[in-house]
Amino acid sequence: SRRVFHVVGTDYPDASWERLEESTKKMRASKPLKNDAPKLGFGKAEDGGFWHLSTTCRLSESLFGSEEEKLVRWSTNHTLEDAKNAARKVGMVPHVEDSCDPLYDIDTLEDVRNWMIATTTNRKEEKSSEVEEDEFTKLVGEVV
């Protein structure tokens, strides 16, 4: 079995080793279009991007195109789809983790708020309760 190389975003507070391992197992088990086609695994992010990229082969700097080519519209809700298409263009088979909820990317204070509300909602749903809209303020206090 070949080594798997991972690139993991640092702004995903719910990213975990267990989730990365699960995604890697599913990527390895997915059927390639061609027997020798390299696979490229992605962890889906809530904002349309991805929180990790995993592969068993060496990646080329040109995988996602040059700045001029604009093969991937970074930091948009098109990022994951564009990255998958770029991978296909160079003969790779993209695999997207689909068994788990997408992870939240934290770039702004609003992202922190949305992530905390979603996280609190998920925890409270497990306890059959509803989240209050001002839960964010209760959890992190006043941020100025």
Side-chain angles (χ1 to χ4, degrees):
S1 170
R2 298 177 75 176
R3 285 186 175 157
V4 176
F5 299 94
H6 305 283
V7 178
V8 180
T10 58
D11 53 354
Y12 293 88
D14 290 328
S16 68
W17 183 249
E18 293 79 19
R19 184 144 175 196
L20 188 59
E21 284 180 318
E22 182 66 25
S23 181
T24 301
K25 285 178 192 173
K26 290 186 178 196
M27 177 192 70
R28 283 182 179 268
S30 68
K31 302 284 187 228
L33 299 175
K34 301 177 200 168
N35 285 342
D36 59 344
K39 297 176 188 176
L40 189 61
F42 294 96
K44 192 173 187 176
E46 184 274 334
D47 64 358
F50 52 93
W51 67 274
H52 83 83
L53 176 123
S54 301
T55 187
T56 56
C57 67
R58 178 172 287 230
L59 295 177
S60 165
E61 288 181 30
S62 63
L63 171 63
F64 297 125
S66 67
E67 190 65 30
E68 295 79 32
E69 289 176 294
K70 307 239 186 273
L71 294 179
V72 178
R73 293 169 281 180
W74 298 105
S75 301
T76 70
N77 61 344
H78 304 284
T79 302
L80 177 59
E81 286 304 314
D82 289 353
K84 287 170 33 184
N85 290 333
R88 287 185 192 103
K89 187 175 180 179
V90 296
M92 299 184 85
V93 179
H95 173 77
V96 178
E97 161 196 67
D98 60 1
S99 61
C100 301
D101 291 332
L103 294 185
Y104 279 82
D105 175 15
I106 306 297
D107 293 321
T108 65
L109 186 57
E110 184 66 19
D111 293 339
V112 173
R113 182 181 190 281
N114 292 337
W115 168 71
M116 292 191 80
I117 289 171
T119 301
T120 304
T121 301
N122 290 340
R123 285 187 197 135
K124 286 189 174 186
E125 283 175 357
E126 290 171 8
K127 297 177 184 177
S128 298
S129 300
E130 289 186 15
V131 66
E132 296 178 27
E133 182 58 29
D134 66 344
E135 191 72 34
F136 174 75
T137 304
K138 290 178 188 176
L139 292 171
V140 293
E142 183 96 16
V143 178
V144 179

